[in-house]
Amino acid sequence: MDIFSNLALGFSTAMSAQNLLYALIGCTLGTLIGVLPGLGPLATISMLLPFTFALDPTGALIMLAAIYYGAQYGGSTTAILVNLPGETSSVITVIDGYQMARQGRAGVAIATAAIGSFAAGCVGTIVLAAFAAPLATVAFRFGGPEYFSLMVVGLVGAISLSSGSVPKAVGMIFIGILLGMVGTDITSGAQRFNFNYPELQEGIEFIVIAVGVFAFGEVIASLGDNTVRETSVKKIGQLMPNREDFRRMVPPIIRGTAIGSLLGILPGAGPVLGSFFAYGLEKKVSKYRHMLGKGAIEGVAGPESANNAAAQTAFIPTLALGIPGSPTMALMLAAMIMYNIQPGPQVMTKNPEIFWGMVVSMWIGNLMLLVLNLPLVGLWVKLLSIPYRALFPAILLFCCIGAYSARFTSFDVFLAAGFGFVGYMFRKLECEPAPLILGFVLGPLLEENFRRALIFSQGDYSVFLTQPISAGFLTLAAILLIAASLPKIRKSRDEVFAEAG
Amino acid sequence: MKSSLSKLLLASMVLATSPVLAQQYPNKPVTLIIPFSAGASNDIFGRFVADGLSKLWKQSVLVENRAGAGGAIGAAAVAKARPDGYTMLFSSSSYTINAAVQKSMPFDPLKDLKPVAMAMRGQMIGVTGSRIPLPDLKEVVRLAKTQKIFYGALGASSTTFAAELFASVAGVKLEAVNYKGGNEAMIDLLGGRLDIYFGTVTTVLPAVLNKSVTAVGVMSPTRTTALPNVPTVAEAGFPGAETDIWWGVFVTSGAPADVLAKINEGVNTVVNTPEAVAFIEKQAALPAKMSIDEFSKTVLTELGRWKELAEKNNITGD
């Protein structure tokens, strides 16, 4: 397996004028649907799938893949500009990205997201090209105990997401877990918290909570704020990162890329976990960690690199094993099968031009997205100079469309409105919504894997400690917990001593 | 002479009536409700059938996704529509499964909707993992008598019912381990945690071709073209464990008989053109061709069978 000759084959496939055009169409479409809340890559790919039958398989797959990561890019734009994460993986970007926008640094934040994503995409592509086959087997090693312990690390890490009070963050995580439980319990088939609404039988859509808690809550809060009346930002400020910004974004991009590349391999919540973990890591190791939550560039660069790297390496289990890690990947797989391409280890030897063409086109797609998005920064940022009286109704309208289009039911729009008030209350009580979202996304995975682990072990709890990977994660979680509480213990001890003295 | 002429006239009128009436339907756009979200197999097949019908009838067939409650929300919308055949439902095997497990449904699955045409059917395959060697179904049954054999279940779904049907035919008990999706179950199968999984051809085929799992039986009366060496359940020694998954069209009960006939004929035409057969086979399914009565009977039989299994194994949906 000569990686260079393979990449050369890939380049010769991907660089054809026709395939470049497909990648461009896909990237543009992806960016657009990423910017519109609710209309995610899943819906878009499934709607476009029938139209791609006319194309040749390589071109069609290149286009579908471009839509997929174009959407990852676009999702962060709304997160930064209007406090609305379009995808689960851009929830974290909201925290510092929106603060940057309010400080007039929206352009810098969007550019940072684009640059970080590009850098991560390059690394992700190389990882995919070089290690697809050996890394694929990592996915099998993760069973119930391993996933459970990984989720524990994620939830413990979520406490550090919040810059405010720890008890409030813990409370928000629990509310999130409870919201995640709404609907049918997969193990027993029992209905939980559905209050006899059939619409709640399959749980709550992520976008409904995101639209409510983030976007609606923000709009209500802004209306109640007498100090801001005209536009959301007073001055636009610089559009592109300066030398200092570049210097500060490099380390988080490297760290975020590493974390994202690893977590992307795990089927399930790769991009989400990647961005959460990257943010948690910045909180621990960054030189500027005291500024996180207040508009630090690290808070955008790290998570954005992580989710894009994960989006890239998520192709590993799909391509190498034929087992998709997400519904979107399942659709990509369906597309491959439709073109008579049988995914699995043999795809690399049997259809090398398709495999390597796709790998290379991912890299080209990332480059295109960078070229496409940087000039658009000025345009996106101009949206912020629209007066509130026009911008707010527009945001509300698009959010309602987003909440509706997830399942085509007006119930979800009302539910989102309800969450809007909840989001406003959270803001008033100074409870941050990001830990809630993490609880909502990871809670169901935590429960499912916990119960599966115990079914397989026939009720033996020691399985979480006897499985080495699982034990490693639990140790890490314990260390994180101790590290998080140490300053508090020391502080209270100091207070005690001060009083005594 | 006069009477024979009038008889002839009468006869020709009778002959002409039904085609004339049937040609009237559809004289305005028809709605096809898909009770699942975009990307699901129902969605892919439903859109395909809608597209074919609108070309055949030269009348738009609008697709509407009304997801939720395992398909019950979309089905209830059709149940409450005007009984004129202009609102159709594109449902699947999940229809009879939900009817068997859900106690409070927003409509009556037996009375409110009329099965009109089965569009496609799909085969299910049992695959075994490597936790303990299970080369064939006989070995699965032999070991299940002395130890726990874990099967991958997906809540109240065709996968779960296929496994429970097999277990009841073989007279053993298999341990259900529930997953949200078939792919998660496949990972545990490959990782040597799960023992057996009964899934669609699409889900299991890549792993079977990689030889990372063993295909032990096709749950159909006939073998599958994708894996011609895999025996059917009957050949493997367990006749009676056959079950196919299907996709088909329902309308609101009370629609005129000629409308039902027109839809049945339309669907059967649309799914059996050479292009359609090629498309459906690429999705690892087969085109169906059933009369209204055959399809109604299939739905009824399944409903009774799933109800019995659900009660016996305590599978609930709400």
Side-chain angles (χ1 to χ4, degrees):
Chain A
M1 277 284 239
D2 184 4
I3 183 166
F4 291 105
S5 67
N6 285 331
L7 284 177
L9 172 68
F11 267 104
S12 67
T13 313
M15 291 296 266
S16 79
Q18 193 192 8
N19 288 343
L20 281 177
L21 181 70
Y22 292 147
L24 181 66
I25 296 172
C27 287
T28 316
L29 261 177
T31 306
L32 288 178
I33 59 156
V35 169
L36 292 171
L39 193 63
L42 180 64
T44 314
I45 292 180
S46 65
M47 278 188 272
L48 284 179
L49 199 54
F51 295 103
T52 60
F53 292 148
L55 313 178
D56 72 296
T58 320
L61 287 172
I62 285 175
M63 191 165 107
L64 293 175
I67 293 174
Y68 167 71
Y69 44 73
Q72 296 278 346
Y73 251 70
S76 48
T77 306
T78 47
I80 292 166
L81 290 178
V82 294
N83 196 36
L84 173 68
E87 311 283 326
T88 40
S89 53
S90 42
V91 167
I92 287 299
T93 314
V94 165
I95 303 175
D96 281 274
Y98 186 61
Q99 288 306 322
M100 284 179 78
R102 297 198 72 165
Q103 293 159 13
R105 282 163 59 77
V108 179
I110 296 177
T112 303
I115 296 165
S117 300
F118 174 68
C122 292
V123 176
T125 306
I126 294 170
V127 172
L128 177 57
F131 308 112
L135 280 182
T137 54
V138 172
F140 305 152
R141 295 186 195 279
F142 273 70
E146 288 79 8
Y147 268 107
F148 169 79
S149 303
L150 179 65
M151 298 304 149
V152 171
V153 176
L155 290 175
V156 169
I159 299 170
S160 69
L161 283 179
S162 106
S163 43
S165 117
V166 171
K168 278 180 185 171
V170 174
M172 294 299 274
I173 294 172
F174 275 102
I175 296 177
I177 294 178
L178 288 178
L179 286 172
M181 284 184 169
V182 173
T184 312
D185 165 32
I186 63 155
T187 303
S188 68
Q191 286 292 320
R192 302 194 290 205
F193 305 137
N194 77 355
F195 304 102
N196 283 331
Y197 285 106
E199 288 89 349
L200 289 177
Q201 274 185 22
E202 281 166 15
I204 304 173
E205 284 286 320
F206 159 76
I207 192 71
V208 170
I209 293 186
V211 157
V213 173
F214 286 98
F216 287 179
E218 176 66 20
V219 169
I220 302 172
S222 301
L223 290 177
D225 184 358
N226 286 324
T227 56
V228 212
R229 264 291 167 243
E230 277 309 298
T231 54
S232 51
V233 271
K234 299 222 164 49
K235 56 173 178 40
I236 300 284
Q238 70 191 99
L239 280 183
M240 288 297 146
N242 56 27
R243 189 182 289 268
E244 165 73 3
D245 292 330
F246 272 113
R247 196 181 58 73
R248 278 178 59 180
M249 76 168 80
V250 172
I253 287 177
I254 295 172
R255 290 190 284 259
T257 305
I259 289 186
S261 306
L262 286 176
L263 288 170
I265 303 162
L266 300 177
V272 194
L273 272 182
S275 66
F276 278 110
F277 277 32
Y279 194 84
L281 188 67
E282 289 311 307
K283 273 252 172 181
K284 288 270 170 289
V285 303
S286 171
K287 243 194 273 175
Y288 302 91
R289 56 180 177 267
H290 56 282
M291 290 161 79
L292 279 169
K294 300 177 194 106
I297 200 164
E298 287 79 9
V300 174
E304 276 298 311
S305 320
N307 74 32
N308 214 50
Q312 214 75 308
T313 51
F315 274 95
I316 291 178
T318 312
L319 285 171
L321 301 176
I323 290 174
S326 67
T328 314
M329 282 292 149
L331 213 54
M332 294 284 301
L333 193 73
M336 285 185 218
I337 293 171
M338 222 175 282
Y339 295 116
N340 286 330
I341 302 160
Q342 197 57 61
Q346 67 273 43
V347 79
M348 293 176 221
T349 43
K350 248 166 103 186
N351 310 89
E353 70 293 339
I354 288 176
F355 182 82
W356 296 105
M358 243 175 100
V359 168
V360 170
S361 78
M362 279 179 207
W363 181 79
I364 294 174
N366 274 302
L367 185 66
M368 264 182 195
L369 281 165
L370 189 70
V371 174
L372 192 75
N373 275 273
L374 285 184
L376 283 180
V377 168
L379 181 77
W380 295 132
V381 172
K382 278 215 182 67
L383 288 177
L384 290 182
S385 54
I386 298 172
Y388 267 169
R389 60 178 183 278
L391 186 64
F392 278 175
I395 292 178
L396 290 180
L397 177 71
F398 277 109
C399 287
C400 288
I401 295 174
Y404 179 78
S405 65
R407 287 193 301 203
F408 296 97
T409 158
S410 48
F411 180 87
D412 281 351
V413 181
F414 291 114
L415 198 60
F419 275 114
F421 284 102
V422 173
Y424 175 62
M425 296 299 290
F426 285 159
R427 216 159 295 248
K428 284 281 161 195
L429 297 170
E430 288 175 1
C431 294
E432 286 164 46
L436 177 135
I437 298 285
L438 190 64
F440 175 73
V441 174
L442 301 189
L445 293 170
L446 181 89
E447 187 201 357
E448 274 167 40
N449 285 295
F450 179 71
R451 292 170 77 169
R452 270 206 289 274
L454 286 180
I455 293 177
F456 283 130
S457 76
Q458 312 198 9
D460 180 6
Y461 285 87
S462 71
V463 66
F464 297 105
L465 294 172
T466 50
Q467 297 289 322
I469 300 175
S470 165
F473 281 132
L474 286 181
T475 314
L476 180 62
I479 292 171
L480 280 175
L481 207 60
I482 293 165
S485 48
L486 263 186
K488 290 244 155 35
I489 297 168
R490 202 178 298 142
K491 210 169 130 198
S492 56
R493 216 181 48 178
D494 287 350
E495 279 164 11
V496 171
F497 278 121
E499 272 170 33
Chain B
M1 179 73 186
K2 199 184 166 192
S3 74
S4 66
L5 188 72
S6 62
K7 264 183 199 157
L8 196 72
L9 267 174
L10 199 72
S12 64
M13 267 170 76
V14 169
L15 275 176
T17 324
S18 45
V20 164
L21 263 179
Q23 267 160 19
Q24 282 167 357
Y25 175 92
N27 56 20
K28 60 177 187 190
V30 183
T31 305
L32 181 70
I33 291 186
I34 298 176
F36 293 92
S37 44
S41 66
N42 273 61
D43 183 66
I44 294 171
F45 283 147
R47 282 174 191 276
F48 180 80
V49 168
D51 186 52
L53 285 179
S54 72
K55 277 174 193 147
L56 180 76
W57 290 341
K58 298 190 174 55
Q59 183 61 261
S60 7
V61 177
L62 309 166
V63 170
E64 216 181 286
N65 292 81
R66 296 279 285 270
I73 289 180
V78 179
K80 288 179 190 110
R82 272 169 61 129
D84 55 7
Y86 282 92
T87 314
M88 307 188 291
L89 175 75
F90 194 81
S91 198
S92 58
S93 324
S94 61
Y95 186 86
T96 51
I97 287 168
N98 281 329
V101 297
Q102 297 195 355
K103 279 166 225 103
S104 56
M105 290 195 99
F107 67 101
D108 186 334
L110 276 177
K111 289 189 193 128
D112 293 351
L113 291 168
K114 169 79 186 152
V116 187
M118 186 190 280
M120 298 94 179
R121 57 186 192 88
Q123 293 168 301
M124 301 192 82
I125 300 179
V127 288
T128 55
S130 54
R131 189 179 73 100
I132 32 178
L134 295 166
D136 52 46
L137 284 173
K138 283 230 164 86
E139 184 68 5
V140 173
V141 171
R142 194 180 69 81
L143 288 179
K145 283 176 181 148
T146 53
Q147 57 177 290
K148 280 194 174 177
I149 297 288
F150 298 104
Y151 83 86
L154 306 177
S157 71
S158 8
T159 292
T160 311
F161 277 96
E164 291 297 350
L165 176 68
F166 169 73
S168 92
V169 167
V172 288
K173 170 127 185 70
L174 299 176
E175 282 301 310
V177 183
N178 275 280
Y179 295 85
K180 227 177 217 152
N183 292 309
E184 294 170 33
M186 286 305 290
I187 287 197
D188 267 2
L189 202 65
L190 291 169
R193 288 174 287 271
L194 198 64
D195 296 315
I196 187 163
Y197 175 75
F198 294 90
T200 58
V201 178
T202 329
T203 314
V204 303
L205 193 60
V208 174
L209 292 180
N210 296 344
K211 299 193 168 57
S212 27
V213 297
T214 316
V216 287
V218 180
M219 314 258 324
S220 271
T222 54
R223 294 190 178 199
T224 172
T225 45
L227 297 166
N229 295 327
V230 180
T232 65
V233 271
E235 288 167 347
F238 302 93
E242 291 88 0
T243 176
D244 276 346
I245 47 171
W246 49 263
W247 296 265
V249 176
F250 291 66
V251 296
T252 325
S253 282
D258 55 328
V259 170
L260 300 185
K262 175 107 182 190
I263 297 173
N264 179 281
E265 186 202 320
V267 173
N268 282 339
T269 313
V270 163
V271 297
N272 284 294
T273 64
E275 300 84 51
V277 174
F279 173 84
I280 296 166
E281 279 176 357
K282 275 188 185 169
Q283 303 280 340
L286 303 160
K289 195 170 195 171
M290 273 193 184
S291 70
I292 301 176
D293 286 344
E294 282 168 331
F295 184 38
S296 299
K297 212 181 130 214
T298 308
V299 170
L300 264 177
T301 318
E302 260 187 26
L303 208 82
R305 191 153 124 187
W306 296 154
K307 265 209 167 114
E308 201 186 307
L309 274 179
E311 274 158 28
K312 202 170 119 193
N313 296 289
N314 199 19
I315 306 171
T316 54
D318 63 4

